[in-house]
């Protein structure tokens, strides 16, 4: 094909050297970089010198997160508050920061809702995830790989779970993706994940990608603590969920699906955030803890809550046992992904797993 193409255009006066330069430019590889900054408790990931996201683990966050997430054009798709507030944002749920992975009931401790907003006399009911180490940093022609180790700890500092997570960051054209493979290993005692709606992989999205809100509402966490979510100005608020089952909007909450596609626009940039489940995961296909006010989460472990008691999982790990969870997040800029594109991405993700 290339020889025929070169011959054809060389007859029209285009030099082979110029055409070769065009060909090389079209297949140029992205330049990825990983910069570890332990003094700032962060690891920065960039593509062609531009920020992709950062893995951050400040002491006052109660868990490491990826923050913020950006499109290939640099547009922020995660909420700024409470770390970097932006005008017009909601200021609810201070534990919703960037993209995170934790759960609302692990041996009776709430890891999901922990934040600096929890009163000291209630801290005994909450768990904390501590960054332990960066285990591996790798750059290849297809992306950047960051492998980290974390400890899920009791209020007394005892480690219940050792987590090893590998993040794979990549960008093709206007589409960025994050593959996450998390291995959870119970340490010295058995670990229970009692059915709970607060889990497991979560993203708190930018205001523009929320669903337009008509009424203020009050949401409670696993311990019954209320948070009022106000109905704000809906100007430029454009988000809409759509699942692999064809369910849309707020109706996605509490349903099972292979994937959910959040579609919207920030300024004049059409954006999709697509979360893909994996058929190797416990509880597949996952339930979705996706709220119109901006929480976008996949939770395979809260089956009793989402099915209104028709199903029960109550997943457990014996001491020394491990379980893996795999997800992929795609951030597409310039268009809203179609169902066919979402299914193709899902099939590619599931098909590549061993």
């Amino acid at each position: 094909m290339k020889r025929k193409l070169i011959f054809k255009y060389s007859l029209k006066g285009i030099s082979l050297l110029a055409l070769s330069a065009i060909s090389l430019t079209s297949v140029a590889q992205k330049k990825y970089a990983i910069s570890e900054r332990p003094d700032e408790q962060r690891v920065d990931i960039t593509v062609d010198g531009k920020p992709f996201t950062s893995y951050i683990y400040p002491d006052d966050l109660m868990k490491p997160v990826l923050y913020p997430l950006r499109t290939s054009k640099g547009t922020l798709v995660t909420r700024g508050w409470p770390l970097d507030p932006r005008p017009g944002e909601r200021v609810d749920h201070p534990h919703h920061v960037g993209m995170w992975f934790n759960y609302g009931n692990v041996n009776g401790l709430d890891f999901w809702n922990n934040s600096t907003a929890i009163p000291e006399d209630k801290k005994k009911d909450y768990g904390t995830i501590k960054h332990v180490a960066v285990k591996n940093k790798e750059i290849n022609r297809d992306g950047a790989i960051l492998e980290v180790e974390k400890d899920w700890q009791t209020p007394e500092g005892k480690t219940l779970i050792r987590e090893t997570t590998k993040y794979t960051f990549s960008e093709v054209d206007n589409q960025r993706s994050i593959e996450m493979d998390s291995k959870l290993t119970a340490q010295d005692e058995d670990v229970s994940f009692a059915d709970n709606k607060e889990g497991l992989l979560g993203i708190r999205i930018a205001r523009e990608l929320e669903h337009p809100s008509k009424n203020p509402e009050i949401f409670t966490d696993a311990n019954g603590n209320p948070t009022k979510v106000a109905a704000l100005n809906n100007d430029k608020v454009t988000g809409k969920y759509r699942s692999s089952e064809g369910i849309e909007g707020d109706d996605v909450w509490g349903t099972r699906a292979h994937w959910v596609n959040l579609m919207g626009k920030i300024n004049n940039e059409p954006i999709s955030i697509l979360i893909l489940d994996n058929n190797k995961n416990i509880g597949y296909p996952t339930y979705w803890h996706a709220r119109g006010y901006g929480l976008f989460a996949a939770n395979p472990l809260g089956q009793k809550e989402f099915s209104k008691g028709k199903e029960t999982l109550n997943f457990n790990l014996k001491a020394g046992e491990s379980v893996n969870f795999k997800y992929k997040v795609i951030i597409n800029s310039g268009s809203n992904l179609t169902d066919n594109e979402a299914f193709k991405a899902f099939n590619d993700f599931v098909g590549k797993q061993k």
Side-chain angles (χ1 to χ4, degrees):
M1 291 293 291
K2 287 185 178 179
R3 289 179 181 174
K4 291 180 180 179
L5 187 64
I6 290 172
F7 178 72
K8 177 181 178 181
Y9 285 97
S10 66
L11 293 177
K12 295 187 177 181
I14 298 178
S15 71
L16 298 182
L17 181 61
L19 189 60
S20 297
I22 293 171
S23 178
L24 287 173
T25 300
S26 66
V27 297
Q29 297 297 316
K30 300 285 186 178
K31 185 177 180 181
Y32 298 91
I34 301 175
S35 302
E36 189 174 358
R37 307 180 191 278
D39 55 325
E40 300 178 24
Q41 297 178 298
R42 64 189 295 128
V43 182
D44 297 330
I45 295 90
T46 60
V47 184
D48 291 339
K50 300 177 182 179
F52 188 137
T53 189
S54 296
Y55 169 83
I56 65 172
Y57 48 96
D59 294 332
D60 60 355
L61 199 54
M62 310 306 164
K63 60 184 178 284
V65 303
L66 296 182
Y67 174 90
L69 301 183
R70 298 176 174 87
T71 70
S72 59
K73 293 182 178 179
T75 302
L76 297 169
V77 298
T78 44
R79 181 178 68 168
W81 191 84
L83 301 183
D84 186 19
R86 301 194 293 270
E89 291 186 321
R90 298 185 192 268
V91 292
D92 56 81
H93 300 88
H95 50 280
H96 290 174
V97 178
M99 172 177 159
W100 67 94
F101 182 78
N102 61 11
Y103 195 62
N105 190 332
V106 180
N107 282 15
L109 294 173
D110 185 351
F111 285 81
W112 180 272
N113 290 288
N114 199 2
S115 75
T116 55
I118 302 300
E120 197 61 36
D121 62 338
K122 293 186 177 181
K123 279 287 191 179
K124 67 183 188 313
D125 299 321
Y126 294 82
T128 302
I129 302 178
K130 294 288 189 180
H131 169 77
V132 175
V134 173
K135 302 295 291 183
N136 183 44
K137 295 179 293 183
E138 180 181 336
I139 302 296
N140 57 47
R141 66 190 303 248
D142 297 321
I145 296 172
L146 174 67
E147 188 171 352
V148 295
E149 194 170 77
K150 316 171 195 177
D151 281 348
W152 296 42
Q153 296 181 347
T154 69
E156 297 75 31
K158 180 180 180 179
T159 297
L160 297 176
I161 297 170
R162 172 64 53 87
E163 174 189 340
T164 301
T165 292
K166 181 173 76 171
Y167 300 102
T168 302
F169 306 92
S170 62
E171 179 179 312
V172 178
D173 297 327
N174 293 326
Q175 188 174 108
R176 288 181 164 181
S177 66
I178 304 168
E179 288 190 32
M180 190 188 81
D181 187 346
S182 290
K183 180 180 180 181
L184 306 182
T185 303
Q187 297 300 289
D188 299 330
E189 61 183 89
D190 296 352
V191 175
S192 67
F193 297 81
D195 285 26
N196 189 288
K197 69 181 176 67
E198 312 285 34
L200 181 65
L201 169 68
I203 302 174
R204 184 59 191 259
I205 58 174
R207 172 66 180 151
E208 295 92 333
L209 298 179
E210 295 176 16
H211 285 56
S213 57
K214 299 178 180 178
N215 302 300
E217 298 186 55
I218 296 177
F219 295 90
T220 58
D221 64 22
N223 297 303
N225 299 316
T227 297
K228 186 174 182 179
V229 178
L232 305 177
N233 183 350
N234 289 319
D235 184 40
K236 298 181 181 179
V237 178
T238 61
K240 183 175 72 173
Y241 294 118
R242 180 172 171 84
S243 80
S244 61
E245 312 311 295
I247 299 173
E248 294 188 338
D250 289 317
D251 292 338
V252 165
W253 190 90
T255 64
R256 288 185 184 271
H258 307 292
W259 51 260
V260 168
N261 182 16
L262 173 62
M263 298 171 285
K265 182 184 291 186
I266 298 181
N267 296 324
N268 292 318
E269 181 181 357
I271 294 169
S272 272
I273 302 177
L274 177 67
I275 301 181
L276 307 174
D277 194 14
N278 190 274
N279 60 348
K280 302 290 186 182
N281 290 339
I282 296 294
Y284 171 84
T286 186
Y287 276 101
W288 294 88
H289 187 19
R291 298 290 199 185
Y293 69 79
L295 171 63
F296 188 9
N299 181 5
L301 303 182
Q303 296 185 15
K304 185 176 181 179
E305 296 288 336
F306 296 120
S307 69
K308 299 181 180 179
K310 296 176 182 178
E311 304 169 9
T312 302
L313 179 61
N314 288 331
F315 180 69
N316 291 276
L317 282 176
K318 297 291 185 182
E321 288 184 345
S322 299
V323 64
N324 277 68
F325 291 94
K326 300 179 181 182
Y327 296 97
K328 185 171 184 177
V329 176
I330 293 174
I331 304 169
N332 195 73
S333 171
S335 66
N336 292 147
L337 295 173
T338 66
D339 285 1
N340 286 341
E341 290 171 324
F343 271 115
K344 184 181 185 306
F346 171 75
N347 290 330
D348 289 345
F349 178 50
V350 172
K352 71 180 288 187
Q353 305 302 312
K354 296 180 180 180

